[in-house]
Amino acid sequence: MKSKTPTPTGDQLLAMLAALSNPHRLRIIAALSAGGRNYVSQMARELGISRPLLHLHLQKLQDAGLVASQLELSTDGKALNYFEVNAFAVELTPALIAEAAKTLSNNTET
């Protein structure tokens, strides 16, 4: 049985929603979910975006806790940064938002 994702704090919920509010980031999550873990150069080719832009979006997703990365060396000695989706499930309801709002930090620039 899968364990339930812990209820996010207000700041965590805002970070998740902000991270998912971009079409490139939705496509990244979809690609990683469908194809499993992948390294940056291959993902950039598959998604048709530059590596620097992909890195920017992956960092936002990683900061929100939606993806994780692991640096590995290939057989020919190249460093490959692999990313995969972290399991998450959040049922967005008025009650969840009310609970999350109680835990918001005073930082309104998030």
Side-chain angles (χ1 to χ4, degrees):
M1 175 183 263
K2 273 190 174 181
S3 63
K4 185 180 174 193
T5 303
T7 302
T9 66
D11 294 336
Q12 290 168 334
L13 181 61
L14 283 176
M16 289 174 72
L17 293 173
L20 294 171
S21 69
N22 181 284
H24 285 303
R25 294 192 284 265
L26 287 180
R27 288 184 189 102
I28 292 166
I29 293 287
L32 289 171
S33 180
R37 63 193 289 272
N38 203 346
Y39 62 98
V40 172
S41 295
Q42 182 65 32
M43 253 193 301
R45 285 189 293 275
E46 290 173 3
L47 294 171
I49 61 177
S50 69
R51 285 184 307 178
L53 181 59
L54 179 58
H55 271 289
L56 175 82
H57 290 303
L58 285 167
Q59 186 62 54
K60 185 81 168 178
L61 290 167
Q62 192 168 22
D63 290 348
L66 300 174
V67 300
S69 69
Q70 183 173 354
L71 193 60
E72 297 179 14
L73 289 177
S74 67
T75 54
D76 62 355
K78 291 181 183 175
L80 301 175
N81 199 6
Y82 281 90
F83 283 84
E84 62 187 339
V85 175
N86 289 331
F88 64 92
V90 177
E91 184 178 355
L92 196 57
T93 64
L96 177 111
I97 292 170
E99 283 302 309
K102 294 176 186 175
T103 65
L104 285 169
S105 68
N106 290 331
N107 181 1
T108 58
E109 295 179 21
T110 303

